[in-house]
Amino acid sequence: MEQQTRELIYGLNDRPPLRETLFAALQHLLAIFVAIITPPLIISSALRFDLETTGFLVSMSLFVSGLATFIQCRRLGPLGTGLLCIQGTSFSFISPIIGAGMLGMAGGRMNVETALSYIFGACLVASVVEMAVSRLLPYTRKVITPLVSGIVVSLIGMCLIKAGINSCGGGQTAVDAGNFGSMSHLGMALLVLVSIIFFNRSSNRYLRMGSIVLGLVIGCVAAYALGMIDLSRLQGARAVNVPMPFKYGLNFDPGSIIALGLIYLVTAVEAFGDITANSLISGEPVEGPVFMKRAQGGILADGFNSMLAAVFNSFPNSIFAQNNGMIQLTGVASRYVGYFIAAALFVLGLFPVVGQLFSLIPDSVLGGATLLMFGTVAAAGIRIIAATKIDRKGVLVMAISFSLGLSVELVPNILDQMPAIIKSIFSSGITTGGLAAIISNALIHIKD
């Protein structure tokens, strides 16, 4: 911890000069911006939302991320870590959210308001799980072991790859147009993928940090040149977005709530790891009462901010791990930088043109980036598993979890004869595999 403190340019409670604060905040924004807007874009594409709805959801994701980041950095009562802790829309919830949204399908057509009411109703209720975990933190760590966490994170990445490759082929728009998987769509996705890899392997830290942004920019320029982006669709956008609590109403489906609740449970464990890493990098304690207070406050805020997101028509938030690397890279751990990041996200979320502009990104361009990002999530889960001791019990737990989780993803109609509540809960490979991991890890005991 002392070594980390010596390596910092600005500590947790230091106030850097304005120019350096703005520069550090900009680097954090570059690292998180695409990650914040991508989940609403993927969900909107999968559920075939119109441009206006998609733009609004993107705007609200930025707006809520600003509120959530401020709460984490400032610490309001028991809420927050008091660290330079950035929050944004989480990828982990995409699959069960799409499942909840499908409840809005009637007669072969999607009712947008109904779909979003089921999504936000489930997100709102299930967020209580993570808030409860924050109060029971020492006990939940015994249930959700590193092996279980690694399995669930791997399944999240593996299940999302399906969404990524669908986007590479052009998404639902291309399916409707009859050109899904065409050379133009696959070529565009490949261009973005190769561009990101090219910049990411650069020795220049700025090119590496901005690799995803640069890849998307190159893809968008190429797509515009090929007539795949129509800027005229931006006409008629409102000047300012006024956040409207419960704009789409609330509906509650028990299966969706259970499915999302499991992801909240695992997200709490991931948040604990991220807070530990953030504390270490910031030269703060990683054990004892001060640290435990920070960890519990951070996880409580993680759940509360996700509940707040549902209120303001956005998707669950989680602590972004990539910003820990940014603190180490810049040497700036000041939580006051977080206030500027929060303000920038808050303001960007108020302008509809920002959300609608990003909503124009073709699915194939987005797919080239998300395919790599989802693969990275799966790889991160494998790294967690590799860091644990894999004995006979571990092999059995992994075999059961991956086989059951991937089965419902690869053959979804296996559940067609099941009651509606069972089908709703276990239709997600993440939920099925995650529950299998928790139960098998608790029940299997092997004597040597």
Side-chain angles (χ1 to χ4, degrees):
M1 187 174 71
E2 291 176 359
Q3 182 181 353
Q4 289 291 343
T5 303
R6 286 196 301 270
E7 291 177 355
L8 290 174
I9 301 172
Y10 295 105
L12 180 64
N13 293 304
D14 293 336
R15 292 177 180 263
L18 181 61
R19 186 173 66 175
E20 295 181 32
T21 298
L22 292 175
F23 185 66
L26 178 62
Q27 291 183 87
H28 279 281
L29 283 170
L30 286 175
I32 63 173
F33 191 82
V34 173
I36 291 173
I37 66 171
T38 300
L41 291 177
I42 293 172
I43 293 165
S44 297
S45 174
L47 297 175
R48 300 190 231 181
F49 293 159
D50 56 68
L51 178 66
E52 183 179 355
T53 302
T54 303
F56 180 76
L57 294 175
V58 170
S59 293
M60 289 303 98
S61 294
L62 293 168
F63 172 79
V64 171
S65 292
L67 292 179
T69 296
F70 177 78
I71 289 171
Q72 285 286 14
C73 295
R74 180 69 178 85
R75 187 172 175 87
L76 303 174
L79 289 172
T81 60
L83 299 166
L84 177 50
C85 202
I86 313 302
Q87 282 209 238
T89 323
S90 174
F91 283 94
S92 303
F93 296 83
I94 290 176
S95 185
I97 282 176
I98 292 173
M102 293 304 292
L103 296 170
M105 184 72 74
R109 298 187 64 182
M110 177 61 68
N111 184 307
V112 175
E113 289 195 2
T114 303
L116 288 171
S117 69
Y118 275 112
I119 289 172
F120 296 136
C123 291
L124 183 76
V125 175
S127 65
V128 175
V129 172
E130 189 167 7
M131 289 188 273
V133 168
S134 72
R135 305 299 93 187
L136 305 170
L137 187 58
Y139 307 101
T140 54
R141 292 175 64 198
K142 296 177 183 179
V143 178
I144 312 297
T145 63
L147 176 63
V148 172
S149 296
I151 290 171
V152 175
V153 173
S154 296
L155 281 169
I156 288 170
M158 292 174 183
C159 294
L160 288 176
I161 286 173
K162 179 180 177 181
I165 198 65
N166 276 330
S167 293
C168 288
Q172 190 59 48
T173 304
V175 172
D176 295 339
N179 61 357
F180 181 81
S182 66
M183 286 299 296
S184 59
H185 288 307
L186 294 180
M188 194 63 64
L190 183 62
L191 172 65
V192 175
L193 181 64
V194 171
S195 299
I196 292 172
I197 294 172
F198 174 78
F199 290 116
N200 192 263
R201 62 185 294 275
S202 172
S203 57
N204 185 304
R205 66 177 185 173
Y206 299 105
L207 290 178
R208 183 180 176 188
M209 285 188 299
S211 58
I212 296 177
V213 175
L214 291 169
L216 286 174
V217 168
I218 290 172
C220 287
V221 170
Y224 181 75
L226 294 174
M228 297 172 69
I229 295 178
D230 182 11
L231 293 177
S232 65
R233 295 172 65 194
L234 290 174
Q235 294 178 358
R238 296 190 305 272
V240 178
N241 258 333
V242 179
M244 297 173 57
F246 306 115
K247 178 179 180 180
Y248 301 99
L250 295 175
N251 269 311
F252 305 100
D253 173 64
S256 300
I257 292 169
I258 293 171
L260 283 159
L262 176 64
I263 309 300
Y264 276 116
L265 183 64
V266 176
T267 300
V269 179
E270 290 180 2
F272 180 83
D274 292 332
I275 294 166
T276 303
N278 193 310
S279 296
L280 180 64
I281 293 167
S282 302
E284 295 295 311
V286 291
E287 56 185 12
V290 172
F291 168 72
M292 187 53 65
K293 184 178 179 181
R294 276 207 176 106
Q296 290 185 306
I299 296 171
L300 179 63
D302 216 47
F304 176 81
N305 290 333
S306 291
M307 182 180 71
L308 198 65
V311 171
F312 284 104
N313 315 291
S314 184
F315 306 115
N317 272 232
S318 64
I319 296 171
F320 277 0
Q322 58 262 48
N323 293 91
N324 292 337
M326 198 63 64
I327 293 172
Q328 197 161 26
L329 188 67
T330 61
V332 179
S334 170
R335 62 194 179 99
Y336 295 101
V337 172
Y339 299 163
F340 285 82
I341 298 168
L345 292 170
F346 182 90
V347 171
L348 285 170
L350 295 178
F351 293 97
V353 68
V354 175
Q356 289 198 14
L357 185 63
F358 284 99
S359 302
L360 292 176
I361 298 176
D363 284 339
S364 51
V365 172
L366 194 64
T370 55
L371 190 65
L372 186 63
M373 292 164 71
F374 296 154
T376 304
V377 173
I382 293 170
R383 287 183 63 182
I384 296 171
I385 295 172
T388 65
K389 181 182 177 182
I390 307 298
D391 51 16
R392 280 194 296 156
K393 174 183 174 177
V395 171
L396 282 174
V397 172
M398 285 192 293
I400 294 169
S401 306
F402 285 127
S403 59
L404 292 180
L406 294 177
S407 291
V408 297
E409 286 289 333
L410 297 173
V411 190
N413 58 354
I414 193 69
L415 299 173
D416 284 353
Q417 303 302 316
M418 294 291 105
I421 182 68
I422 298 297
K423 187 176 179 180
S424 178
I425 294 171
F426 294 103
S427 60
S428 166
I430 301 169
T431 308
T432 303
L435 285 173
I438 293 171
I439 294 170
S440 59
N441 186 60
L443 297 182
I444 294 176
H445 300 283
I446 295 178
K447 294 183 180 180
D448 295 326

